[in-house]
């Protein structure tokens, strides 16, 4: 690494050297060795679930006796997975829609304006992200039960909004800061009101940012365990919570059908993440910079 | 009328701020109100004076111990995740072949979910799992190593779920540091060690502090994996489990709220300490903007 960077100023600036060689320094080998060890173990963790979900019987051997796909069918029926997946999607779509509606205008004001008390408001929006979900989840669930909202879908949606709205605000702010304010001024000069500026000028420009935070909120909501766990009733469980119940009540269900269900959940999340990575560059979530500065 | 509107507008208050109102209503109704409701509830125990639920928690060593147990799991896990992310992210800067593949591979564990991780750890690290089989087959150990249903199981699950997250954040902060700074130092004759410790690391420090805080929050609220791969009655009885049991097994909401408040307080103290240490270490513009 050092040799390359030292050599670079000597080169003519026009040659973009795309391929940075992985040099054979001991430090580099140690780093990549640790990464590979981590991945091998991770692969073992994932593969053991995958193999087990297709295995007929698997006790004290390297691999199961035989293979079958029946655990998937059994998991699908036993856990009423269709209903659980429908609930998960309904909750996620509602949370995404509402948190965008609430969060984007607030992000706009916080990105563009300065006013007294702005720092305090920002801190209040930051707190739900900085607190462990259980800490505010238990009082929140108590309040929601008091008003008869918990135990249903509405309670699950409301609870999941608590971390999602601040998340939208935080991820949208850099996207809004990138838009030149003169575009808005121009629109206003031409007589557009705030509503028109928002709907006709800002929203189209913000589509990439909105997509990015929508998908991230979706992934977070599908994976959010604690808040749904605290507020869900029997008919409003999402996939994670149903999975947790099926696993913590072990002995009742065959372990392989829990494995099958976990595989179904992970494939769903994987699809979401692959879609997300098409729209979001993960390295530019916090710092908006060009990844490949001209050299 | 127009006069005070003008005066307010000069200080930055005008009609546009109405856009903030839905978010404020939301955060007050769903976060601040429940929080203060829980706080007042924690001072109204089912019996005894206003502080008796707090006294009950701290006088019972089984309950009080949950704070220590949680910190003992969450602090090392968060620290390891952040420290391991730095060298890997440092190697991942710039462009090279297969960078997208490596990034994707490192991000994919986010999708695993607690339950698959838990099942996988139980299968893989369990007494008859592949890990122990390999150790036994290569004669590294004489009998299976116990790595599940104890501290290590929970620790590994926190590393698997927390590391990708820490890595993404660190990589993001690191790519925000202007590479010309390091190149300038290189022309002045600084070797990579000096460039790292004198330029990159100080600029990265605020980002590392933020990453540590966020990873710590994730690890501190560990709950499902503490039950599934840990030993929820003893070694890994974390504080969120104590709060959950008080609320949903004993239906003692004041006590549960008291535990939740203690939990939030301990967590915020750790974050405040980290941020205070960060401001002592380096005060300047953050490395986030290049």
């Amino acid at each position: 690494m050092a040799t390359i960077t030292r050599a670079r100023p000597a080169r003519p600036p026009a040659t973009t050297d795309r391929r940075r060689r992985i040099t054979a320094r001991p430090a580099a080998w140690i780093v990549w060795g640790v990464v590979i060890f981590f991945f091998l173990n991770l692969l073992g963790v994932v593969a053991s679930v995958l193999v087990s979900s297709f295995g007929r019987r698997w006790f004290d051997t390297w691999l199961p006796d035989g293979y079958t796909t029946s655990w998937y069918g059994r998991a699908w029926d036993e856990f009423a997975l269709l209903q659980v997946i429908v609930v998960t999607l309904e909750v996620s779509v509602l949370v995404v829609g509402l948190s965008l509606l609430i969060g984007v205008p607030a992000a706009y004001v916080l990105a563009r304006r300065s006013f007294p008390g702005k720092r305090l408001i920002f801190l209040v929006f930051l707190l739900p992200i900085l607190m462990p979900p259980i800490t505010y989840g238990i009082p929140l669930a108590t309040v929601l039960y008091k008003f008869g909202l918990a135990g249903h879908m509405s309670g699950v949606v409301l609870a999941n909004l608590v971390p999602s709205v601040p998340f939208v605000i935080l991820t949208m702010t850099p996207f809004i800061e990138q838009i030149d304010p003169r575009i808005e001024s121009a629109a206003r000069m031409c007589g557009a009101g705030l509503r028109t500026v928002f709907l006709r000028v800002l929203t189209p420009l913000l589509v990439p940012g909105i997509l990015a935070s929508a998908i991230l909120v979706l992934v977070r909501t599908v994976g959010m365990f604690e808040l749904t766990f605290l507020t869900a009733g029997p008919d409003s469980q999402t996939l994670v919570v149903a999975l947790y119940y099926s696993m913590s009540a072990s002995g009742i269900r065959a372990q392989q059908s829990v494995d099958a269900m976990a595989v179904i959940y992970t494939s769903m999340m994987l699809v979401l993440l692959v879609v997300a990575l098409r729209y979001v560059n993960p390295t530019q979530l916090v710092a908006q910079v060009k990844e490949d500065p001209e050299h | 009328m127009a006069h005070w509107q003008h005066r307010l507008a000069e200080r930055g208050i005008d009609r546009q701020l109405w856009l903030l109102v839905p978010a404020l209503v939301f955060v007050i109704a769903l976060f601040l109100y429940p929080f203060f409701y829980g706080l007042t509830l924690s001072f109204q125990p089912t019996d005894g004076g206003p502080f008796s639920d707090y006294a009950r928690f701290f006088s019972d060593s089984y309950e009080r111990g949950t704070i220590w147990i949680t910190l003992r799991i969450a602090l090392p896990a968060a620290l390891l995740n952040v420290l391991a992310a730095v060298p890997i992210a440092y190697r991942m800067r710039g462009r090279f072949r297969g960078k997208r593949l490596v990034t994707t591979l490192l991000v994919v564990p986010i999708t695993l979910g607690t339950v698959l991780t838990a099942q996988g750890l139980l299968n893989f690290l369990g007494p008859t799992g592949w890990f122990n089989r390999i150790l036994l087959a290569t004669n590294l150990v004489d009998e299976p190593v116990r790595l599940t249903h104890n501290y290590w199981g929970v620790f590994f699950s926190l590393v698997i779920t927390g590391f990708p997250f820490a890595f993404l954040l660190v990589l993001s902060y690191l790519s925000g540091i202007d590479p010309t700074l390091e190149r300038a130092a290189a022309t002045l004759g600084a070797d990579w060690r000096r460039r790292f410790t004198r330029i990159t690391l100080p600029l990265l420090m605020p980002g590392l502090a933020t990453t540590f805080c966020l990873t710590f929050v994730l690890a501190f609220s560990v709950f499902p994996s503490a039950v599934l791969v840990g030993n929820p009655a003893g070694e890994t009885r974390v504080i969120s489990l104590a709060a959950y049991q008080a609320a949903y097994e004993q239906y003692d909401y004041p006590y549960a709220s008291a535990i939740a408040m203690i939990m939030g307080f301990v967590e915020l103290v750790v974050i405040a300490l980290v941020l205070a240490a960060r401001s002592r270490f380096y005060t300047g513009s953050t490395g986030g903007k290049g």
Side-chain angles (χ1 to χ4, degrees):
Chain A
M1 189 100 105
T3 49
I4 296 166
T5 4
R6 201 174 294 155
R8 193 170 283 142
R11 277 183 205 161
T15 54
T16 44
D17 109 288
R18 283 263 156 120
R19 285 187 290 144
R20 183 183 284 216
R21 275 180 302 134
I22 301 167
T23 41
R25 287 175 165 279
W29 283 112
I30 292 170
V31 169
W32 292 119
V34 170
V35 172
I36 289 167
F37 181 74
F38 178 74
F39 272 119
L40 281 179
N41 284 297
L42 195 65
L43 199 69
V45 168
V46 177
S48 63
V49 175
L50 207 59
V51 169
S52 169
S53 73
F54 286 108
R56 209 182 292 279
R57 277 187 312 143
W58 190 7
F59 294 114
D60 200 3
T61 47
W62 282 94
L63 287 170
D65 299 350
Y67 297 93
T68 169
T69 51
S70 66
W71 296 115
Y72 284 87
R74 210 181 280 190
W76 188 269
D77 297 335
E78 264 181 29
F79 304 119
L81 270 191
L82 185 66
Q83 196 229 333
V84 173
I85 288 178
V86 168
V87 169
T88 310
L89 289 179
E90 281 174 349
V91 168
S92 315
V93 169
L94 278 172
V95 169
V96 169
L98 285 173
S99 55
L100 284 178
L101 272 181
I102 301 173
V104 174
Y108 174 76
V109 176
L110 287 175
R112 277 289 148 81
R113 309 294 309 275
S114 71
F115 51 88
K118 181 177 160 176
R119 286 173 68 93
L120 183 73
I121 289 179
F122 202 74
L123 184 71
V124 170
F125 284 130
L126 207 62
L127 270 180
I129 292 186
L130 280 182
M131 285 263 203
I134 289 268
T135 311
Y136 59 85
I138 286 182
L140 176 65
T142 316
V143 168
L144 288 175
Y145 273 111
K146 197 174 83 169
F147 290 107
L149 288 166
H152 313 288
M153 184 100 107
S154 51
V156 175
V157 172
L158 286 175
N160 274 296
L161 278 177
V162 175
S164 301
V165 171
F167 190 76
V168 168
I169 293 177
L170 286 188
T171 45
M172 283 305 290
T173 311
F175 281 100
I176 294 170
E177 278 169 352
Q178 277 181 331
I179 295 177
D180 194 337
R182 281 176 296 185
I183 298 174
E184 287 156 50
S185 314
R188 296 199 148 228
M189 282 270 291
C190 299
L194 185 61
R195 184 194 303 260
T196 326
V197 170
F198 231 88
L199 291 179
R200 304 289 289 275
V201 181
L202 281 175
T203 314
L205 286 171
L206 281 177
V207 164
I210 290 175
L211 272 178
S213 52
I215 292 165
L216 289 170
V217 169
L218 190 69
V219 173
R220 271 175 66 104
T221 311
V222 174
M224 173 53 81
F225 170 78
E226 287 93 343
L227 293 172
T228 315
F229 181 62
L230 292 175
T231 49
D235 59 343
S236 50
Q237 282 176 15
T238 59
L239 201 46
V240 234
V241 177
L243 256 172
Y244 174 82
Y245 279 124
S246 69
M247 192 178 166
S248 59
S250 62
I252 303 168
R253 316 252 185 236
Q255 204 210 329
Q256 287 97 323
S257 72
V258 179
D259 285 334
M261 196 164 153
V263 171
I264 295 176
Y265 167 83
T266 301
S267 350
M268 207 168 125
M269 287 291 273
L270 200 62
V271 171
L272 285 180
L273 190 81
V274 168
V275 174
L277 287 179
R278 289 200 69 83
Y279 292 101
V280 201
N281 182 349
T283 62
Q284 298 201 349
L285 276 184
V286 200
Q288 293 284 321
V289 278
K290 286 209 175 63
E291 200 178 322
D292 193 22
E294 67 285 359
H295 44 52
Chain B
M1 183 75 178
H3 181 64
W4 64 257
Q5 262 188 353
H6 187 73
R7 290 272 295 270
L8 283 177
E10 269 176 359
R11 305 188 56 191
I13 299 173
D14 61 22
R15 278 182 22 225
Q16 255 186 27
L17 294 193
W18 280 103
L19 291 173
L20 209 56
V21 169
L24 278 178
V25 169
F26 147 82
V27 86
I28 289 167
L30 286 175
F31 183 73
L32 290 180
Y33 170 68
F35 190 80
F36 285 106
Y37 178 81
L39 191 65
T40 48
L41 197 64
S42 73
F43 292 120
Q44 295 161 3
T46 33
D47 49 44
F51 292 102
S52 64
D53 265 344
Y54 288 93
R56 185 174 144 201
F57 181 85
F58 283 109
S59 60
D60 184 344
S61 69
Y62 186 56
E63 298 281 279
R64 190 180 49 203
T66 57
I67 296 181
W68 171 236
I69 288 175
T70 315
L71 287 176
R72 212 170 72 96
I73 297 174
L75 281 175
L79 203 63
L80 175 74
N81 286 339
V82 175
L83 290 185
V86 175
I88 299 174
Y90 194 68
R91 301 250 152 228
M92 295 278 296
R93 290 179 318 158
R95 279 180 172 234
F96 61 87
R97 268 191 306 178
K99 172 172 177 171
R100 215 180 155 78
L101 179 75
V102 180
T103 319
T104 312
L105 279 178
L106 283 165
V107 177
V108 157
I110 288 179
T111 62
L112 291 183
T114 342
V115 172
L116 186 120
T117 316
Q119 285 282 38
L121 285 170
L122 292 180
N123 290 353
F124 179 70
L125 296 178
T128 63
W130 286 335
F131 190 76
N132 270 315
R133 279 182 178 279
I134 291 171
L135 288 186
L136 287 170
T138 52
N139 283 324
L140 281 170
V141 291
D142 296 330
E143 55 185 65
V145 188
R146 223 178 135 243
L147 291 169
T148 51
H149 293 301
N150 60 7
Y151 175 86
W152 292 109
V154 183
F155 185 82
F156 291 135
S157 81
L158 286 180
V159 171
I160 289 178
T161 47
F163 175 73
F165 181 72
F167 169 75
L168 268 188
L169 281 171
V170 171
L171 184 62
S172 176
Y173 282 113
L174 204 56
S175 38
I177 296 173
D178 193 343
T180 46
L181 290 174
E182 267 201 74
R183 257 178 271 145
T187 57
L188 297 173
D191 59 357
W192 77 268
R193 199 172 312 225
R194 275 174 76 92
R195 292 203 305 267
F196 182 74
T197 52
R198 307 295 283 273
I199 295 168
T200 313
L201 197 59
L203 285 172
L204 190 60
M205 222 49 201
L208 285 188
T210 313
T211 312
F212 179 83
C213 288
L214 291 175
T215 323
F216 175 72
V217 173
L218 280 182
F220 193 78
S221 58
V222 53
F223 170 52
S225 45
V227 177
L228 299 177
V229 269
N231 172 10
E235 221 180 333
T236 66
R237 188 173 181 265
V238 290
I239 189 164
S240 42
L241 198 57
Y244 173 77
Q245 284 174 340
Y248 291 85
E249 284 171 18
Q250 302 160 16
Y251 298 103
D252 190 344
Y253 293 110
Y255 187 46
S257 304
I259 301 178
M261 294 301 143
I262 294 167
M263 183 179 169
F265 180 75
V266 171
E267 192 245 13
L268 287 179
V269 164
V270 172
I271 288 184
L273 285 177
V274 172
L275 295 181
R278 172 205 127 166
S279 64
R280 282 178 69 92
F281 185 83
Y282 169 73
T283 48
S285 67
T286 61
K289 309 270 167 184

